[in-house]
mmCIF file of all heavy atoms in Angstrom:
data_model
loop_
_atom_site.group_PDB
_atom_site.id
_atom_site.type_symbol
_atom_site.label_atom_id
_atom_site.label_comp_id
_atom_site.label_asym_id
_atom_site.label_seq_id
_atom_site.Cartn_x
_atom_site.Cartn_y
_atom_site.Cartn_z
ATOM 1 N N LYS W 395 223.679 223.716 -10.351
ATOM 2 C CA LYS W 395 223.813 225.121 -9.916
ATOM 3 C C LYS W 395 224.771 225.883 -10.830
ATOM 4 O O LYS W 395 224.514 227.025 -11.209
ATOM 5 C CB LYS W 395 224.321 225.172 -8.474
ATOM 6 C CG LYS W 395 223.300 224.708 -7.444
ATOM 7 C CD LYS W 395 223.901 224.731 -6.052
ATOM 8 C CE LYS W 395 222.915 224.200 -5.016
ATOM 9 N NZ LYS W 395 223.519 224.141 -3.655
ATOM 10 N N GLN W 396 225.882 225.243 -11.175
ATOM 11 C CA GLN W 396 226.851 225.900 -12.057
ATOM 12 C C GLN W 396 226.241 226.193 -13.429
ATOM 13 O O GLN W 396 226.497 227.246 -14.013
ATOM 14 C CB GLN W 396 228.091 225.014 -12.217
ATOM 15 C CG GLN W 396 229.211 225.675 -13.005
ATOM 16 C CD GLN W 396 230.392 224.755 -13.196
ATOM 17 O OE1 GLN W 396 230.337 223.583 -12.847
ATOM 18 N NE2 GLN W 396 231.464 225.261 -13.754
ATOM 19 N N TYR W 397 225.414 225.271 -13.922
ATOM 20 C CA TYR W 397 224.765 225.511 -15.212
ATOM 21 C C TYR W 397 223.825 226.717 -15.134
ATOM 22 O O TYR W 397 223.799 227.560 -16.042
ATOM 23 C CB TYR W 397 223.995 224.262 -15.636
ATOM 24 C CG TYR W 397 223.150 224.480 -16.875
ATOM 25 C CD1 TYR W 397 223.732 224.512 -18.141
ATOM 26 C CD2 TYR W 397 221.774 224.678 -16.776
ATOM 27 C CE1 TYR W 397 222.961 224.726 -19.278
ATOM 28 C CE2 TYR W 397 221.002 224.893 -17.905
ATOM 29 C CZ TYR W 397 221.600 224.913 -19.142
ATOM 30 O OH TYR W 397 220.838 225.142 -20.259
ATOM 31 N N LYS W 398 223.043 226.798 -14.059
ATOM 32 C CA LYS W 398 222.099 227.915 -13.930
ATOM 33 C C LYS W 398 222.817 229.253 -13.778
ATOM 34 O O LYS W 398 222.331 230.279 -14.249
ATOM 35 C CB LYS W 398 221.182 227.670 -12.735
ATOM 36 C CG LYS W 398 220.217 226.516 -12.952
ATOM 37 C CD LYS W 398 219.403 226.233 -11.703
ATOM 38 C CE LYS W 398 218.470 225.045 -11.940
ATOM 39 N NZ LYS W 398 217.717 224.695 -10.705
ATOM 40 N N VAL W 399 223.972 229.255 -13.108
ATOM 41 C CA VAL W 399 224.685 230.517 -12.873
ATOM 42 C C VAL W 399 225.444 230.965 -14.116
ATOM 43 O O VAL W 399 225.382 232.141 -14.510
ATOM 44 C CB VAL W 399 225.643 230.358 -11.671
ATOM 45 C CG1 VAL W 399 226.532 231.589 -11.526
ATOM 46 C CG2 VAL W 399 224.855 230.133 -10.392
ATOM 47 N N PHE W 400 226.170 230.048 -14.763
ATOM 48 C CA PHE W 400 227.111 230.431 -15.820
ATOM 49 C C PHE W 400 226.565 230.236 -17.231
ATOM 50 O O PHE W 400 226.864 231.029 -18.119
ATOM 51 C CB PHE W 400 228.414 229.644 -15.686
ATOM 52 C CG PHE W 400 229.204 229.997 -14.460
ATOM 53 C CD1 PHE W 400 229.258 229.125 -13.385
ATOM 54 C CD2 PHE W 400 229.879 231.204 -14.360
ATOM 55 C CE1 PHE W 400 229.981 229.434 -12.248
ATOM 56 C CE2 PHE W 400 230.606 231.517 -13.227
ATOM 57 C CZ PHE W 400 230.658 230.638 -12.167
ATOM 58 N N TRP W 401 225.794 229.170 -17.478
ATOM 59 C CA TRP W 401 225.549 228.773 -18.858
ATOM 60 C C TRP W 401 224.103 228.901 -19.319
ATOM 61 O O TRP W 401 223.854 228.921 -20.526
ATOM 62 C CB TRP W 401 225.978 227.309 -19.058
ATOM 63 C CG TRP W 401 227.380 227.046 -18.654
ATOM 64 C CD1 TRP W 401 227.789 226.290 -17.598
ATOM 65 C CD2 TRP W 401 228.564 227.525 -19.284
ATOM 66 N NE1 TRP W 401 229.151 226.256 -17.518
ATOM 67 C CE2 TRP W 401 229.664 227.021 -18.556
ATOM 68 C CE3 TRP W 401 228.820 228.337 -20.383
ATOM 69 C CZ2 TRP W 401 230.979 227.290 -18.893
ATOM 70 C CZ3 TRP W 401 230.130 228.602 -20.720
ATOM 71 C CH2 TRP W 401 231.192 228.086 -19.982
ATOM 72 N N GLU W 402 223.135 228.960 -18.401
ATOM 73 C CA GLU W 402 221.736 228.911 -18.817
ATOM 74 C C GLU W 402 221.344 230.142 -19.641
ATOM 75 O O GLU W 402 220.699 230.016 -20.681
ATOM 76 C CB GLU W 402 220.830 228.790 -17.591
ATOM 77 C CG GLU W 402 219.382 228.560 -17.952
ATOM 78 C CD GLU W 402 218.536 228.278 -16.721
ATOM 79 O OE1 GLU W 402 218.985 228.570 -15.595
ATOM 80 O OE2 GLU W 402 217.412 227.768 -16.891
ATOM 81 N N ASN W 403 221.711 231.331 -19.184
ATOM 82 C CA ASN W 403 221.322 232.570 -19.860
ATOM 83 C C ASN W 403 222.472 233.198 -20.642
ATOM 84 O O ASN W 403 222.484 234.402 -20.887
ATOM 85 C CB ASN W 403 220.794 233.577 -18.826
ATOM 86 C CG ASN W 403 219.591 233.044 -18.083
ATOM 87 O OD1 ASN W 403 218.703 232.429 -18.682
ATOM 88 N ND2 ASN W 403 219.560 233.254 -16.773
ATOM 89 N N ARG W 404 223.431 232.390 -21.033
ATOM 90 C CA ARG W 404 224.603 232.897 -21.743
ATOM 91 C C ARG W 404 224.297 233.093 -23.229
ATOM 92 O O ARG W 404 223.616 232.264 -23.839
ATOM 93 C CB ARG W 404 225.764 231.911 -21.583
ATOM 94 C CG ARG W 404 227.078 232.384 -22.169
ATOM 95 C CD ARG W 404 228.108 231.269 -22.031
ATOM 96 N NE ARG W 404 229.369 231.647 -22.615
ATOM 97 C CZ ARG W 404 230.342 232.276 -21.983
ATOM 98 N NH1 ARG W 404 230.176 232.622 -20.718
ATOM 99 N NH2 ARG W 404 231.466 232.580 -22.581
ATOM 100 N N ASP W 405 224.784 234.186 -23.804
ATOM 101 C CA ASP W 405 224.619 234.461 -25.228
ATOM 102 C C ASP W 405 225.715 233.723 -25.988
ATOM 103 O O ASP W 405 226.883 234.123 -25.987
ATOM 104 C CB ASP W 405 224.701 235.967 -25.491
ATOM 105 C CG ASP W 405 224.428 236.297 -26.958
ATOM 106 O OD1 ASP W 405 223.912 235.407 -27.666
ATOM 107 O OD2 ASP W 405 224.727 237.430 -27.381
ATOM 108 N N ASN W 406 225.343 232.623 -26.651
ATOM 109 C CA ASN W 406 226.320 231.787 -27.353
ATOM 110 C C ASN W 406 226.570 232.245 -28.787
ATOM 111 O O ASN W 406 227.481 231.755 -29.438
ATOM 112 C CB ASN W 406 225.835 230.336 -27.367
ATOM 113 C CG ASN W 406 225.718 229.755 -25.980
ATOM 114 O OD1 ASN W 406 226.717 229.546 -25.297
ATOM 115 N ND2 ASN W 406 224.506 229.500 -25.543
ATOM 116 N N LYS W 407 225.730 233.169 -29.312
ATOM 117 C CA LYS W 407 225.904 233.597 -30.702
ATOM 118 C C LYS W 407 227.145 234.442 -30.883
ATOM 119 O O LYS W 407 227.798 234.403 -31.925
ATOM 120 C CB LYS W 407 224.667 234.371 -31.150
ATOM 121 C CG LYS W 407 223.405 233.524 -31.195
ATOM 122 C CD LYS W 407 222.209 234.344 -31.640
ATOM 123 C CE LYS W 407 220.949 233.485 -31.666
ATOM 124 N NZ LYS W 407 219.754 234.283 -32.054
ATOM 125 N N SER W 408 227.491 235.258 -29.867
ATOM 126 C CA SER W 408 228.648 236.146 -29.996
ATOM 127 C C SER W 408 229.973 235.410 -29.850
ATOM 128 O O SER W 408 231.015 235.919 -30.262
ATOM 129 C CB SER W 408 228.565 237.259 -28.951
ATOM 130 O OG SER W 408 228.537 236.690 -27.642
ATOM 131 N N ASP W 409 229.950 234.216 -29.250
ATOM 132 C CA ASP W 409 231.189 233.458 -29.011
ATOM 133 C C ASP W 409 231.479 232.586 -30.226
ATOM 134 O O ASP W 409 231.304 231.369 -30.205
ATOM 135 C CB ASP W 409 231.040 232.613 -27.742
ATOM 136 C CG ASP W 409 232.371 232.027 -27.296
ATOM 137 O OD1 ASP W 409 233.404 232.409 -27.870
ATOM 138 O OD2 ASP W 409 232.367 231.200 -26.375
ATOM 139 N N PHE W 410 231.935 233.223 -31.314
ATOM 140 C CA PHE W 410 232.160 232.482 -32.562
ATOM 141 C C PHE W 410 233.407 231.613 -32.482
ATOM 142 O O PHE W 410 233.445 230.499 -32.999
ATOM 143 C CB PHE W 410 232.281 233.474 -33.726
ATOM 144 C CG PHE W 410 232.532 232.808 -35.043
ATOM 145 C CD1 PHE W 410 231.510 232.124 -35.693
ATOM 146 C CD2 PHE W 410 233.782 232.842 -35.629
ATOM 147 C CE1 PHE W 410 231.743 231.505 -36.907
ATOM 148 C CE2 PHE W 410 234.015 232.217 -36.839
ATOM 149 C CZ PHE W 410 232.992 231.550 -37.481
ATOM 150 N N LEU W 411 234.474 232.102 -31.816
ATOM 151 C CA LEU W 411 235.736 231.371 -31.751
ATOM 152 C C LEU W 411 235.758 230.313 -30.658
ATOM 153 O O LEU W 411 236.731 229.564 -30.548
ATOM 154 C CB LEU W 411 236.896 232.357 -31.524
ATOM 155 C CG LEU W 411 237.157 233.348 -32.655
ATOM 156 C CD1 LEU W 411 238.255 234.315 -32.247
ATOM 157 C CD2 LEU W 411 237.541 232.629 -33.936
ATOM 158 N N GLN W 412 234.694 230.245 -29.845
ATOM 159 C CA GLN W 412 234.618 229.262 -28.753
ATOM 160 C C GLN W 412 235.829 229.383 -27.822
ATOM 161 O O GLN W 412 236.487 228.390 -27.496
ATOM 162 C CB GLN W 412 234.512 227.847 -29.327
ATOM 163 C CG GLN W 412 233.298 227.615 -30.188
ATOM 164 C CD GLN W 412 232.002 227.690 -29.416
ATOM 165 O OE1 GLN W 412 231.872 227.098 -28.355
ATOM 166 N NE2 GLN W 412 231.046 228.431 -29.942
#
Side-chain angles (χ1 to χ4, degrees):
K395 290 178 183 177
Q396 186 183 7
Y397 173 77
K398 291 175 182 177
V399 172
F400 292 106
W401 306 112
E402 187 173 17
N403 300 318
R404 185 184 178 89
D405 184 15
N406 297 292
K407 295 180 181 178
S408 59
D409 191 9
F410 179 74
L411 295 176
Q412 299 294 313

